[in-house]
Amino acid sequence: MRIKNIISELIIFILILVWAYTFASKIFDFDTFNRQIKGAYLLSAGGAVLPYVLQAVHLGIVIMLLNKNWRRLGLLTSLSVMILYTAYLIYILKFAPSIPCSCIAVFKGMNWNDQLYFNFIALAINSIGLITFFSLRRAPHDSVQTTYNLTNNQQG
């Protein structure tokens, strides 16, 4: 197995663990999660539906990453959601009048700064995963194109 395949599979595995853990931890304590979202700065505008939407997104990302045919979409969705979460964290830490609940934290006991660092690491991992995934997808096409060009140049 090529090193890019190993890196890609490892990154997919890490992202699945992160999103599955996030989903499970919020589901097992959904009442607290729901209450925290409703009381959170800016998130309370999402009303009663936002906790369910967030959980559906987390589960959807896990499903997309598990299915090899949907991995590209899963990686893109994961990156997009992580960017939104990170932007929210930055906004809260730099501009919000007060720091609300810790409901966005992946692991209990993480403060907002810890979560921001975690998100930056997850963003880097997700970005490397996307780059690796797309380079794996292009490699066979590029090698076929190169072989085709060499064959045509030798005939001409």
Side-chain angles (χ1 to χ4, degrees):
M1 192 181 248
R2 290 184 6 205
I3 191 76
K4 284 185 182 180
N5 287 349
I6 293 169
I7 291 170
S8 180
E9 291 299 319
L10 180 62
I11 287 172
I12 295 292
F13 179 72
I14 290 168
L15 290 172
I16 289 170
L17 285 179
V18 167
W19 289 112
Y21 177 82
T22 302
F23 172 77
S25 68
K26 304 302 185 212
I27 283 293
F28 289 130
D29 197 9
F30 190 77
D31 290 337
T32 302
F33 174 63
N34 190 16
R35 190 174 51 256
Q36 288 175 334
I37 289 288
K38 288 178 182 174
Y41 189 73
L42 290 180
L43 297 180
S44 60
V49 73
L50 185 60
Y52 298 99
V53 170
L54 291 174
Q55 287 303 89
V57 169
H58 294 164
L59 182 59
I61 291 170
V62 171
I63 291 168
M64 287 184 279
L65 291 172
L66 284 170
N67 185 321
K68 289 188 184 242
N69 294 326
W70 298 346
R71 282 211 173 138
R72 183 176 77 151
L73 182 59
L75 284 165
L76 290 169
T77 305
S78 174
L79 184 67
S80 300
V81 171
M82 193 61 69
I83 288 170
L84 289 172
Y85 283 167
T86 304
Y88 178 72
L89 284 166
I90 292 169
Y91 175 78
I92 292 297
L93 288 170
K94 299 297 179 192
F95 304 109
S98 64
I99 295 179
C101 70
S102 62
C103 52
I104 197 169
V106 172
F107 301 107
K108 289 184 181 198
M110 288 179 86
N111 66 34
W112 285 80
N113 286 318
D114 295 339
Q115 184 62 48
L116 184 61
Y117 297 133
F118 178 87
N119 280 27
F120 285 141
I121 292 167
L123 280 169
I125 289 169
N126 205 140
S127 298
I128 292 167
L130 269 171
I131 292 166
T132 307
F133 183 82
F134 282 115
S135 72
L136 285 173
R137 294 292 182 195
R138 279 197 300 250
H141 176 71
D142 290 345
S143 62
V144 169
Q145 184 68 24
T146 304
T147 304
Y148 175 76
N149 286 341
L150 288 174
T151 306
N152 281 343
N153 289 338
Q154 290 171 354
Q155 290 176 357

